[in-house]
Amino acid sequence: MPGADGRQKRLRRGGFLSRAAAEQGLAEILELPGPEAMAETWTVKRWLEYWLSLLEDRLRPSTVRAYRSVTRTHLIPWLGRFRLADLDGRHGVAIVQRAVDAISRQEVTDGELISAGTVHRIVAVLRSALSEARRQGLISSNAAWRLRLPRGGRPHAVAWTREREALWRATGARPAVAVWDVEHVARFLEAVQDDPLFPLWWLVALRGLRRGEVAALRSTDLDAEFRELSVKRQLLIVDGTMRLGPPKSAAGVRVLALDEFTNQVMREQRRRQQDRFAGTDRNPYGYLFTNPDGSPVRPDWLTHRFHVLVRELDLPPVRFHDLRHGAASLAGAAGVELKVIQHDLGHSSAVTTSDTYWTVFRELAHQAVAATAGLLRSHARFRLRLGAASQA
């Protein structure tokens, strides 16, 4: 029988009680359309491997690597032996549900169960693979939909409040994802204002660029006249090697408006870089943030350097990526519209922005209404009669 890659595949079926039944089974297979026959001949393992090969030129290398890891670690061990056709219809949903339930019971480090967020990501990979199989006509339905998944998901960012910081200093307990408030960010930026990478720290804290995006910035990306910065590419670390690629998504290609101070900071950084490498063959592409030899700073080194600075300054721990979260929360606190924040962060949808930062925005909303109410009370010269008002 022909397979999805055009090669002939041998199909073996057994369990027939008579020759007549076997001949009838063969006739049914021969009558199947090409794609359906392929679904009968291919195992899920074989399809997943073929599907991954299709992604090589479609997705970023780091994304394909993550998909391969999920496939090798979770999907093939639990589903690889089934035929692709077995995952079609209601019977297929039952097979996938049993596999997901088994994966959800797995223990990881320190005897803890695998996180709900990880299970959701595993199912997302399977769902994508089966969607491609359905697109090619191999199956009629996607068994990775309509599943019962463990509750929970990725942790949402919360703000480092005084109470949370006090608890962390006393016990070491900390939120999974936390962002600094404006006072923490200000303390950090004041302390690193003489650091050679101050323009980078300032830019990420204010505009929320990803580490690969800021590392890939070039002199030509800055339009000082119109106070704009273009994000066109990012540097990635793939198997220890630094590669240049497009932003995370199409929405990641964007133009960021700069205030006068940030524009001046970036203009001075560009001038220093040009003076530094003038008359040399180093930094031929004009990267804005480089090592002494002219090569662009590595994104993973930026993470390491940031963690060192945070420890030295005795600030509540956050990840480098949390500076991006903090930029979103600062913009929300300043009253910037959600659609603008979505654009500036390079999210493909405002739903992604609101879903990621809903906790931070909610806390800011409470702070804002409390401040507004406090302002109103401070100017009120009459006694409020809540009892009478409640009866209105």
Side-chain angles (χ1 to χ4, degrees):
M1 304 294 295
D5 57 357
R7 300 177 181 178
Q8 292 295 317
K9 303 293 178 182
R10 178 173 302 210
L11 174 62
R12 295 182 181 275
R13 299 287 294 274
F16 299 106
L17 297 179
S18 65
R19 180 183 180 88
E23 291 176 346
Q24 177 63 31
L26 175 61
E28 292 175 356
I29 291 294
L30 293 176
E31 290 177 359
L32 286 174
E36 294 185 29
M38 289 157 51
E40 290 282 352
T41 62
W42 277 36
T43 63
V44 174
K45 175 179 182 294
R46 181 68 185 92
W47 169 253
L48 289 173
E49 292 172 343
Y50 174 70
W51 170 69
L52 287 170
S53 70
L54 299 178
L55 303 180
E56 295 291 346
D57 298 327
R58 301 180 185 177
L59 302 177
R60 297 183 304 162
S62 57
T63 302
V64 176
R65 182 178 58 184
Y67 283 9
R68 287 191 184 279
S69 177
V70 168
T71 300
R72 180 179 62 254
T73 306
H74 302 286
L75 297 181
I76 289 178
W78 291 103
L79 294 169
R81 69 182 185 278
F82 292 100
R83 291 176 301 128
L84 188 57
D86 292 335
L87 301 192
D88 208 354
R90 185 176 301 178
H91 178 65
V93 175
I95 292 175
V96 174
Q97 183 67 66
R98 286 195 297 270
V100 171
D101 291 343
I103 292 172
S104 301
R105 292 191 295 269
Q106 287 183 310
E107 293 185 358
V108 288
T109 56
D110 301 326
E112 294 184 2
L113 291 177
I114 189 171
S115 71
T118 300
V119 176
H120 282 249
R121 286 190 290 272
I122 293 169
V123 172
V125 173
L126 177 63
R127 187 178 299 136
S128 181
L130 295 183
S131 291
E132 181 62 28
R134 184 181 182 186
R135 189 176 299 112
Q136 294 194 21
L138 305 181
I139 53 178
S140 60
S141 62
N142 191 329
W145 291 101
R146 305 187 305 277
L147 297 176
R148 297 185 306 275
L149 301 178
R151 291 184 178 181
R154 60 182 179 182
H156 291 275
V158 298
W160 271 112
T161 60
R162 293 183 178 180
E163 181 179 355
R164 289 192 179 106
E165 183 176 352
L167 179 64
W168 164 68
R169 294 190 183 279
T171 66
R174 52 172 291 188
V177 179
V179 300
W180 287 333
D181 64 12
V182 64
E183 294 182 2
H184 291 123
V185 176
R187 282 172 53 192
F188 173 77
L189 292 174
E190 287 177 3
V192 300
Q193 58 185 308
D194 295 326
D195 187 272
L197 288 178
F198 170 75
L200 184 148
W201 307 129
W202 172 269
L203 188 62
V204 174
L206 180 69
R207 304 305 278 128
L209 278 76
R210 299 176 177 91
R211 65 177 193 174
E213 293 172 345
V214 73
L217 288 176
R218 298 175 178 178
S219 298
T220 53
D221 296 328
L222 175 64
D223 189 332
E225 179 181 358
F226 290 95
R227 294 188 303 184
E228 293 179 343
L229 186 69
S230 298
V231 180
K232 304 175 181 177
R233 64 193 75 83
Q234 69 172 332
L235 288 170
L236 304 169
I237 304 298
V238 181
D239 298 328
T241 302
M242 190 159 55
R243 298 183 182 179
L244 189 66
K248 187 175 182 179
S249 65
V253 179
R254 59 201 188 276
V255 177
L256 301 177
L258 303 179
D259 62 284
E260 184 57 44
F261 176 77
T262 305
N263 189 52
Q264 181 64 24
V265 167
M266 296 304 299
R267 187 163 48 189
E268 287 298 314
Q269 175 66 15
R270 180 171 64 182
R271 182 191 59 78
R272 283 192 296 269
Q273 287 291 90
Q274 291 172 345
D275 293 345
R276 184 181 187 184
F277 298 111
T280 72
D281 58 354
R282 295 178 294 170
N283 195 20
Y285 297 106
Y287 285 103
L288 285 172
F289 304 105
T290 60
N291 300 305
D293 63 358
S295 61
V297 293
R298 289 174 60 97
D300 50 356
W301 182 85
L302 289 176
T303 297
H304 170 73
R305 177 60 181 162
F306 177 73
H307 288 166
V308 170
L309 291 172
V310 171
R311 287 195 300 268
E312 291 178 349
L313 299 174
D314 194 30
L315 287 166
V318 295
R319 305 168 305 170
F320 181 88
H321 192 74
D322 294 332
L323 282 180
R324 174 175 164 83
H325 296 326
S329 65
L330 290 174
V336 178
E337 294 182 1
L338 183 62
K339 191 67 177 178
V340 177
I341 299 176
Q342 170 209 335
H343 167 270
D344 289 349
L345 294 178
H347 287 160
S348 58
S349 168
V351 175
T352 302
T353 309
S354 60
D355 179 61
T356 303
Y357 302 113
W358 72 270
T359 306
V360 174
F361 290 158
R362 184 183 63 184
E363 292 182 2
L364 292 171
H366 283 293
Q367 294 172 11
V369 72
T372 304
L375 178 65
L376 180 61
R377 290 197 307 271
S378 69
H379 287 75
R381 297 181 180 277
F382 53 88
R383 180 187 295 274
L384 298 178
R385 294 179 175 86
L386 297 179
S390 67
Q391 297 174 6

